[in-house]
Amino acid sequence: MSFVIEKKLKNVMTFYYLMKLDKKVPTNRAFIRKRQGKKVHELMKCAYKIPFYRQRFDENHLTPDDFHSAEDLAKFPVLTRADLRLWMQQEYDAHPEMHERWSVLSTSGSSGTPLKFLQTQRESACVDANWIRVLMYAGYKPSYKMFSFVTSHKHIDPKKGDSIIQKFGIMPRRVVSEKNCVGEGIRDVLNELNEYKPDVLCFRRNCLVRMALYAQRHNIKVYQPKIYTPVSEMVDDVTRKILTETFGDGLMDAYGSSETGSCIIQLPGKKLYYINSDTHVVNIYDENNQLSDDGKVIVTTLFKKDFPIINYEIGDRATSVTKDGVRYIKSIQGRVNDLVKHENSAESSALELMKIPNGIVGIAQFRYIQESYHDIRIQLVKDPNNNVHTKQEIEAFFHEKMQELFQDEFTLHFDWMDVIPPDENGKMRCFACKI
């Protein structure tokens, strides 16, 4: 099939795959395990035919018959970003005749180094179908109006207007540029949001926070959608409080990556995150790459058969609980490579720093910047709706907790800001190291 035909049929393929996916979170755990185990085996049979993965099978004396469950994947070697980058480049160099049929996508680079990876039209349709059904988990219907930023759907070009199906009132949406969501431009975005009255709101987390803070400071009443989902960045407890105060209780937290698609979902009002068991396996490994309830997030995409991603170390940490053989995520804690540098000792995780703001009220945003071996700058935004603690009391709290963690190793420098701007890639990391 030619690339042109594949491109034209992509919407048809998306609809086809959507029909095959769960639209509601399944509750029968015996069914979840059986179906997922079958898909794991089918994936490994496909991967066995791919030279890159065949070498991994052979080096570890494994065959597809060794894999019939999510837990069995722990036998297979971990796939790092460096491994994936090398394999993608090898595939691209070896098959110039396929270049026009493959999409070359790129991550945002929030892990430190952007990653380019390949995707076929079939896989792209699966990714789109998966995202639509993630919204359907929270009650999304084809008639719902979506208010979103341009880059959340790469195929949307606002200059071209609505597509044919949208002209018939199916999946209507309005998109705005994130570049407008700064300074006084936020007022225009909020006015458009209130005028459009969307059922679904979809923006980057830091953009939603800026909108919420602006509305609170200027006493602007914001229309509350049925569903809103912060994308591209994790939702911490501080962020969750600010967002629910402004946008209501419809918060859905969807976790994933450009490489894997959305794979872990927390529905409004739920404490645990559900793993998309029909399209993904998410295991948690300890430092020895053994299965654990607390450790590194390891993702396998069950739907990617052209360029499978198996046992991918995505770069974040999480805690989990297993019920009747099915894993659920309790919390997603942040990137493994968020490391505090020490002059005369090994690096340490910045995860403990992330817990400090949760211990006191009155903070709307925070970010740590390690500027040297002995200086950490802490950027803070005051919660306009909470004056229980003064800025001086909040700074004293940080001093106390940092002293408990690092004694007198660091001098703290505080910057109180109206809003913390995102990084150049549009995201905002809560810890950055300049060493």
Side-chain angles (χ1 to χ4, degrees), residues 367-371 375-379 411-415:
R367 175 159 60 189
Y368 299 88
I369 302 173
Q370 184 178 1
E371 298 180 330
D375 295 275
I376 289 182
R377 185 166 299 280
I378 303 177
Q379 297 176 333
T411 298
L412 305 184
H413 308 272
F414 291 91
D415 292 336

Side-chain angles (χ1 to χ4, degrees), residues 56-279:
R56 294 185 157 224
F57 276 101
D58 294 345
E59 288 175 349
N60 292 274
H61 308 290
L62 298 167
T63 72
D65 288 334
D66 293 305
F67 300 92
H68 294 276
S69 70
E71 294 79 10
D72 285 341
L73 287 170
K75 306 171 188 175
F76 207 69
V78 167
L79 179 70
T80 67
R81 291 175 68 86
D83 295 331
L84 183 57
R85 181 180 291 108
L86 178 61
W87 176 38
M88 293 291 94
Q89 190 62 53
Q90 289 173 342
E91 290 284 350
Y92 190 80
D93 292 343
H95 300 284
E97 76 282 1
M98 297 295 291
H99 289 182
E100 69 170 11
R101 299 182 63 180
W102 291 342
S103 297
V104 182
L105 306 177
S106 178
T107 65
S108 66
S110 62
S111 62
T113 307
L115 167 69
K116 293 188 182 298
F117 62 98
L118 306 176
Q119 193 164 269
T120 61
Q121 292 299 308
R122 190 197 71 82
E123 290 180 338
S124 180
C126 288
V127 169
D128 289 350
N130 179 55
W131 177 241
I132 294 171
R133 73 80 172 267
V134 164
L135 293 173
M136 294 178 75
Y137 279 159
Y140 174 78
K141 299 176 182 178
S143 60
Y144 278 10
K145 298 188 295 183
M146 177 180 285
F147 191 67
S148 178
F149 66 100
V150 175
T151 56
S152 68
H153 297 282
K154 291 181 282 292
H155 58 278
I156 287 177
D157 182 353
K159 295 180 180 178
K160 295 182 179 179
D162 288 341
S163 67
I164 294 176
I165 63 170
Q166 285 157 349
K167 289 178 180 178
F168 283 98
I170 301 173
M171 300 176 71
R173 52 87 180 119
R174 182 177 295 183
V175 295
V176 298
S177 171
E178 272 197 330
K179 295 179 180 179
N180 298 335
C181 204
V182 294
E184 287 303 308
I186 298 176
R187 183 182 292 272
D188 295 332
V189 175
L190 290 173
N191 287 339
E192 190 166 358
L193 166 66
N194 286 336
E195 178 270 324
Y196 190 57
K197 294 182 171 54
D199 302 288
V200 183
L201 182 62
C202 178
F203 278 81
R204 293 188 198 270
R205 182 205 66 179
N206 72 78
C207 191
L208 284 176
V209 169
R210 278 179 273 147
M211 292 164 65
L213 290 174
Y214 188 95
Q216 290 176 11
R217 289 197 183 99
H218 294 83
N219 296 315
I220 298 175
K221 185 174 177 59
V222 178
Y223 179 81
Q224 296 186 344
K226 295 182 177 70
I227 308 163
Y228 63 98
T229 177
V231 299
S232 300
E233 302 162 329
M234 291 186 305
V235 177
D236 52 64
D237 290 341
V238 172
T239 299
R240 189 179 302 276
K241 178 178 180 297
I242 293 297
L243 294 182
T244 54
E245 286 175 349
T246 300
F247 298 110
D249 297 326
L251 172 62
M252 181 183 74
D253 191 8
Y255 171 88
S257 70
S258 299
E259 309 93 289
T260 65
S262 294
C263 53
I264 304 174
I265 312 300
Q266 185 185 48
L267 294 178
K270 300 295 183 180
K271 291 186 177 180
L272 294 177
Y273 289 76
Y274 170 72
I275 296 168
N276 289 347
S277 59
D278 54 350
T279 53

